[in-house]
Amino acid sequence: MSGKRQDLQVITANRLEDGAVVWLGASGRWLENIGEAKVFAPEQAAEGLAAAAEALSRQEIVGPEAIAVTQADGQIVPVRLRERIRAQGPSIRPDVGRPHAGPAAKLFEDAA
């Protein structure tokens, strides 16, 4: 075991104003950096989804969902490749990816 915890979740959505991928932060704000997302144990994800439902009703976001992540070396890494691409940007050109996403190599190292 590499020390990764794989049963964690974060809440993601798209900001309605500009379509940006955002994650729910600990402060309740929607942030563009997955590294600042609030991480929920699976039994607590409903709390995050409730906050997302409120933001949805205020028309701040669209498409909220809980996604599986791992935490390793202080980084939050989505489990699914789709979510890694949403967090990082295009996988074929990491140099033009999202500026707040962190090291591309970490996000894509386990992608298959």
Side-chain angles (χ1 to χ4, degrees):
M1 184 101 178
S2 63
K4 292 181 182 178
R5 186 169 173 190
Q6 299 187 6
D7 60 346
L8 303 172
Q9 296 184 327
V10 297
I11 309 301
T12 187
N14 288 87
R15 190 169 42 218
L16 192 57
E17 182 178 295
D18 59 6
V21 177
V22 290
W23 289 268
L24 180 63
S27 67
R29 293 180 49 226
W30 292 92
L31 308 168
E32 293 185 22
N33 182 352
I34 192 172
E36 298 174 327
K38 181 176 182 178
V39 178
F40 295 92
E43 63 275 9
Q44 297 172 329
E47 171 189 327
L49 289 171
E54 291 176 19
L56 186 65
S57 71
R58 292 189 303 266
Q59 299 184 342
E60 293 177 20
I61 59 161
V62 294
E65 64 179 315
I67 63 164
V69 297
T70 62
Q71 279 187 309
D73 301 325
Q75 285 194 312
I76 299 170
V77 180
V79 171
R80 294 181 51 212
L81 178 59
R82 174 186 184 269
E83 298 302 331
R84 290 179 191 190
I85 293 170
R86 288 182 77 236
Q88 185 67 50
S91 60
I92 59 170
R93 290 280 316 268
D95 58 315
V96 296
R98 297 171 54 93
H100 304 293
K106 185 67 178 173
L107 286 176
F108 290 113
E109 75 179 6
D110 296 330

